[in-house]
Amino acid sequence: MKLREDEVMVAGRDCPIRTAVIRPLGDEPRPGVLLYTDIFQLTESTLRSARRIAGAGFVVCVPEIYPRGPLAGVALEFDDEGKRAGLAGAAATTTEQFDADRIAVLDHMQTRDDVTNLFAAGFCIGGHLAFRAALDPRVEATVCFYPTGLHNGALGADPDAGSLAAAATIRGRLMVVFGAQDPHVPAGARVQILAGLYAAGHDDLELHVYSGGEHAFMRDIGPRHDPVLTDLALTEALAFLRR
């Protein structure tokens, strides 16, 4: 399926939000996916994942998660310097800012003539942000790929954003993907997340834990990438969103 890619400056509450919009060619309205990046922002690696989702028939909107300050407009390298900058960008961003940006992007998607239903997905910190997007009643289904900080609430500048504690307010469907060898979301954290979701009434969620999968196993750059698990995770995610 051939794709069209555009850069849109979404009007945020206090700043513009650079957003990549990727969709199949043609005018047919399609379901929209708000796709959150990891701490490295709009890298080609994440955009390749976005293209795969768009190629399955979705309008994919990928916003920068740090639209304020020195990282606005910057795609970071997958090295120590890039990691430090990405973590600093997270530490400088409050949950309230993340939430305000999410509302702005969903508002934009809702006004687009080419978008029907609203879905969300994300990787790493973006998996946590996707979970918070699920708190919006407009979002009908959400896929969280190895969400960091969800078990203890840590998100950006806030030691406890209360995301898991708010799970009972989620009305849409949920899918969560983990790698079994992820030190950022180890077995105990995964149990804590699952217990919290079950306690909140989400006992019909879809859960995938991939044996051998490391943190960021879907990032197609670096030694942690597992192409087989990536294909499995994307196939399951697309099937879940289509249901």
Side-chain angles (χ1 to χ4, degrees), residues 39-40 66 71 76 81-91:
I39 62 169
F40 299 94
Y66 308 136
L71 294 186
L76 298 168
E81 182 178 354
K83 181 179 179 180
R84 284 193 295 270
L87 291 174

Side-chain angles (χ1 to χ4, degrees), residues 95 99 128 131-132 135 149-155 158-169:
T95 301
D99 286 349
H128 192 156
F131 186 89
R132 291 197 66 81
L135 301 175
L150 187 55
H151 65 290
N152 61 11
L155 179 63
D158 296 311
D160 187 358
S163 303
L164 191 58
T169 65

Side-chain angles (χ1 to χ4, degrees), residues 1-75:
M1 185 177 289
K2 292 185 177 180
L3 303 175
R4 171 178 174 174
E5 300 189 23
D6 297 293
E7 182 177 294
V8 175
M9 300 303 290
V10 172
R13 184 188 61 187
D14 57 357
C15 67
I17 305 168
R18 186 169 75 105
T19 303
V21 179
I22 307 173
R23 60 152 295 142
L25 289 179
D27 299 325
E28 178 185 349
R30 298 176 180 273
V33 179
L34 166 55
L35 181 65
Y36 282 110
T37 73
D38 56 19
I39 62 169
F40 299 94
Q41 298 220 99
L42 293 175
T43 62
E44 273 300 312
S45 177
T46 294
L47 291 175
R48 282 191 287 272
S49 295
R51 291 175 191 124
R52 292 187 66 177
I53 297 171
F58 296 90
V59 179
V60 183
C61 294
V62 196
E64 285 190 331
I65 61 173
Y66 308 136
R68 302 166 187 81
L71 294 186
V74 176

Side-chain angles (χ1 to χ4, degrees), residues 101-124:
D101 294 345
R102 173 247 301 163
I103 291 170
V105 177
L106 286 176
D107 285 349
H108 168 77
M109 294 174 70
Q110 195 170 38
T111 62
R112 293 179 63 98
D113 293 335
D114 59 351
V115 172
T116 56
N117 314 67
L118 294 178
F119 302 139
F123 306 95
C124 191

